[in-house]
Amino acid sequence: MEALRASSFPSFHRQLISTHTFPKPIVHIPSSPRIILPAQKSNFKNFTAISPTAPSTEESIQPEKSEKRFEWYEQWYPVWPVRDLDKRRPHAKKVMGIDLVVWWDRNENAWKVFEDSCPHRMAPLSEGRIDQWGRLQCVYHGWCFGGAGDCKFIPQAPRHGPPVHTSSKACVAVYPSCLQNGILWFWPNSDPLFKNIHSTKKPHFIPELDDPSYSTMIISREIGYGYEILIENLMDPAHIPYAHYGMNILSCTLKADREGGRPLEISVQKVDVDGFTAKQIFGDNYFIAPCLFYGHYSPGGDDQSTNKTSSDGKKDVGLPPVPTVLPHVPSDKKSMLIFYCVPVSPGRSRLIFAAPRNFAVWLDWIIPRWVLHMTPNLILDSDLYLLHVEERKLRDVGPLNWHKACYVPTKADALPAAFRRWLNKYGGTQVDWRNKYSGEVPPTPPKEQLFDRYWTHTVSCSSCSVAYKRLNVLKTALQVISVALVGVVAAAKQGAMSVAARYYVASMAVLCFVASKWLSHFIRKTFIYHDYDHAFQ
């Protein structure tokens, strides 16, 4: 869970190296009958992971009935950070299998979330434009829409004929939306009954994200595996020293192995339809269903020492202290890890990650935001293929058999096991796609498409997209300078340039050429594609 902590600090922003874009990946989602299994009730109070072979786990592997069912379509869902949304154009987004178009209505000074389908011939409005009057225009036939979803203009309709644009059939479905914590949220029901839902029910508020004394690094990324796998992976600190080895996210002085794995004390105190709370070495964690997982941690402290007394009264000398990746800071300093895990479609999810802190705020003033995104992107890539394959294996097993198929005998797995318990008991065992999909995951694409960073992050990030363009300009300039300098040396007449000058100009040409090649490699690995080979870490 702490895997992305290092992204806020420059000592962890290693040089990643990068190339040219390739076509936007197209994900195929096969169809087959969707099966929802019944549920059975069991009690749950204080839950930690236990072996499925133990007698007490028979109850946990059964489908569960719940007095209160979680309603997937009566929740707020984060769409995207507003700082990465361009007000000059519409944006295509997908949440809960719903195709959305997000656009800035300058007439109302508000972001709008519409169904991404023109009522005329169902062309995607996200491929359109915002016209000179601030209306959303479909570029297929030019129909224009206002912020309320009403059709303002149909070019093909006679000017003095019946006002066909006023028909309810000419309107676009509008979803309730709001801004909170710098993120655009939407309510996945366009029924007018929910038009003012924000006045009665709001997204979960995290005050630190709006506190000017905190510095916040925020990043969004589309992920090539599903919501369930994403959120349980972020709840799992035990995988960090192995799946992310070599990134110095955690270090340990006393090691049982090269990576420094160790027992972890994690317990879940409460589980209900709204989520659960838990305690682990860095502090309290909260799962706010369906999307939010966050926690506070102390940058200078840890809860596991070598002489900690265990639950049986004995001194536990086998747990080494957990050195933090941050410099020691006073106890009044606070840091958080905030993960918004958004279901997009089967086998696809979206992560919005923020790491607010009230110390070393000046770092974000001097370090470009795109540099801060390098480490989180690499961390996400380093276990991407593992989780992509894992999801397909779990899909074959079935969501109700998670506790049977997965052997989770230690407390280190308490959070993922609790999430699966919540999902089975309250969430219907999986995301409710409302028959839009069968639930089958798409086939595994080629690795360059699975690890694609351009379409999943760069193109939608206001900072990375600008850096990508500017670095490409610099690369081209270095190549032009290199060729020009070679031309100067070749064109110079004998005696017109000294030998020393010739060597100097030729050396500069070589340096510019080498720099352009290195920069090309850096651009590719930073903004387009970066593989991660665990065998050689």
Side-chain angles (χ1 to χ4, degrees):
M1 187 278 294
E2 309 109 300
L4 298 180
R5 170 190 340 188
S7 59
S8 298
F9 302 92
S11 59
F12 299 96
H13 300 158
R14 289 192 169 85
Q15 290 181 342
L16 305 178
I17 339 182
S18 239
T19 235
H20 308 98
T21 62
F22 41 87
K24 188 173 183 178
I26 299 176
V27 179
H28 170 69
I29 300 177
S31 60
S32 65
R34 182 168 178 266
I35 300 174
I36 301 290
L37 299 178
Q40 180 185 31
K41 183 178 179 182
S42 66
N43 294 325
F44 181 87
K45 292 183 179 178
N46 193 332
F47 184 75
T48 56
I50 50 179
S51 166
T53 60
S56 61
T57 62
E58 289 302 316
E59 187 178 52
S60 67
I61 61 178
Q62 298 297 324
E64 300 186 22
K65 290 180 182 177
S66 170
E67 296 178 359
K68 188 175 182 182
R69 181 180 174 84
F70 182 76
E71 297 296 338
W72 290 92
Y73 289 85
E74 295 181 9
Q75 313 293 331
W76 286 100
Y77 288 87
V79 180
W80 207 260
V82 291
R83 68 181 302 173
D84 291 324
L85 293 174
D86 189 344
K87 292 182 178 180
R88 301 170 300 173
R89 60 169 303 154
H91 303 268
K93 302 297 176 186
K94 185 190 288 284
V95 179
M96 291 292 290
I98 303 172
D99 290 313
L100 306 173
V101 55
V102 176
W103 65 287
W104 175 255
D105 181 5
R106 68 170 181 257
N107 295 312
E108 297 186 22
N109 290 318
W111 287 102
K112 301 292 182 178
V113 180
F114 286 6
E115 181 182 6
D116 193 12
S117 180
C118 180
H120 177 214
R121 299 266 289 278
M122 302 183 72
L125 294 171
S126 58
E127 291 298 315
R129 64 174 68 94
I130 299 173
D131 70 7
Q132 61 268 42
W133 293 283
R135 306 173 300 190
L136 178 62
Q137 183 183 59
C138 176
V139 293
Y140 193 24
H141 293 92
W143 288 33
C144 297
F145 304 92
D150 53 323
C151 184
K152 296 292 188 182
F153 178 55
I154 299 177
Q156 296 78 23
R159 300 297 180 269
H160 303 291
V164 292
H165 69 282
T166 61
S167 170
S168 61
K169 293 183 178 181
C171 296
V172 181
V174 181
Y175 293 99
S177 59
C178 68
L179 286 180
Q180 184 159 284
N181 290 144
I183 296 172
L184 178 65
W185 299 72
F186 100 111
W187 184 271
N189 194 323
S190 59
D191 192 303
L193 291 173
F194 297 100
K195 181 179 180 180
N196 297 314
I197 188 64
H198 184 258
S199 61
T200 58
K201 183 176 181 179
K202 295 177 172 60
H204 187 79
F205 179 68
I206 299 179
E208 289 82 356
L209 288 175
D210 286 350
D211 190 333
S213 67
Y214 280 75
S215 177
T216 301
M217 192 286 299
I218 190 166
I219 181 174
S220 302
R221 174 88 180 258
E222 305 285 345
I223 309 292
Y225 47 81
Y227 153 85
E228 298 93 340
I229 301 297
L230 172 63
I231 199 165
E232 70 180 37
N233 180 59
L234 295 171
M235 291 178 175
D236 173 27
H239 81 282
I240 294 172
Y242 300 95
H244 308 301
Y245 180 76
M247 298 183 188
N248 290 336
I249 298 170
L250 289 175
S251 60
C252 188
T253 54
L254 298 176
K255 296 183 178 181
D257 56 14
R258 180 191 68 161
E259 295 81 7
R262 61 191 177 277
L264 299 175
E265 288 290 333
I266 304 175
S267 62
V268 177
Q269 281 74 46
K270 177 184 177 183
V271 174
D272 58 29
V273 69
D274 297 317
F276 54 79
T277 61
K279 287 185 177 294
Q280 62 167 306
I281 58 175
F282 290 105
D284 294 340
N285 295 135
Y286 307 91
F287 168 55
I288 310 298
C291 296
L292 177 58
F293 178 65
Y294 74 99
H296 301 77
Y297 68 92
S298 172
D302 77 76
D303 295 330
Q304 291 190 9
S305 63
T306 54
N307 293 319
K308 184 175 179 180
T309 302
S310 62
S311 57
D312 60 3
K314 298 179 181 180
K315 291 290 185 179
D316 185 354
V317 297
L319 299 182
V322 185
T324 118
V325 296
L326 308 179
H328 178 74
V329 295
S331 59
D332 63 328
K333 302 303 181 184
K334 297 179 181 178
S335 301
M336 295 181 67
L337 296 173
I338 303 171
F339 304 99
Y340 296 98
C341 305
V342 185
V344 174
S345 61
R348 303 289 296 182
S349 58
R350 178 178 304 126
L351 172 65
I352 302 174
F353 164 65
R357 67 185 188 280
N358 64 354
F359 59 94
V361 174
W362 56 270
L363 289 175
D364 287 0
W365 300 342
I366 63 175
I367 301 174
R369 183 171 173 242
W370 67 269
V371 174
L372 297 176
H373 286 182
M374 289 167 62
T375 297
N377 273 318
L378 181 59
I379 290 172
L380 290 170
D381 284 338
S382 59
D383 58 10
L384 176 59
Y385 188 74
L386 300 174
L387 299 169
H388 179 85
V389 174
E390 175 186 311
E391 179 176 37
R392 278 138 187 80
K393 293 180 181 293
L394 289 174
R395 181 66 60 172
D396 293 339
V397 170
L400 286 175
N401 294 320
W402 189 91
H403 286 84
K404 285 183 177 179
C406 300
Y407 181 53
V408 286
T410 71
K411 293 181 179 180
D413 294 305
L415 283 168
F419 170 72
R420 287 289 176 173
R421 181 65 175 271
W422 172 86
L423 194 62
N424 285 352
K425 185 173 183 179
Y426 298 105
T429 75
Q430 60 185 1
V431 176
D432 181 7
W433 301 111
R434 286 195 170 174
N435 298 316
K436 290 185 289 289
Y437 306 105
S438 65
E440 294 297 321
V441 293
T444 299
K447 249 192 171 182
E448 282 218 0
Q449 183 174 326
L450 182 63
F451 283 83
D452 162 74
R453 199 179 283 182
Y454 181 78
W455 290 107
T456 60
H457 172 71
T458 301
V459 76
S460 299
C461 174
S462 59
S463 303
C464 292
S465 58
V466 170
Y468 172 76
K469 294 173 183 175
R470 290 178 178 175
L471 290 176
N472 271 302
V473 170
L474 177 59
K475 179 190 70 175
T476 303
L478 289 171
Q479 293 170 344
V480 170
I481 292 171
S482 177
V483 172
L485 292 175
V486 171
V488 168
V489 173
K493 295 181 179 180
Q494 189 70 25
M497 182 181 292
S498 66
V499 175
R502 284 178 180 272
Y503 276 118
Y504 176 78
V505 174
S507 298
M508 292 300 297
V510 172
L511 286 175
C512 288
F513 176 76
V514 171
S516 71
K517 297 301 289 183
W518 178 88
L519 189 57
S520 177
H521 189 54
F522 177 83
I523 292 171
R524 175 174 171 78
K525 281 200 163 185
T526 303
F527 301 108
I528 297 175
Y529 169 78
H530 184 94
D531 197 0
Y532 190 92
D533 191 343
H534 291 270
F536 297 101
Q537 296 301 318

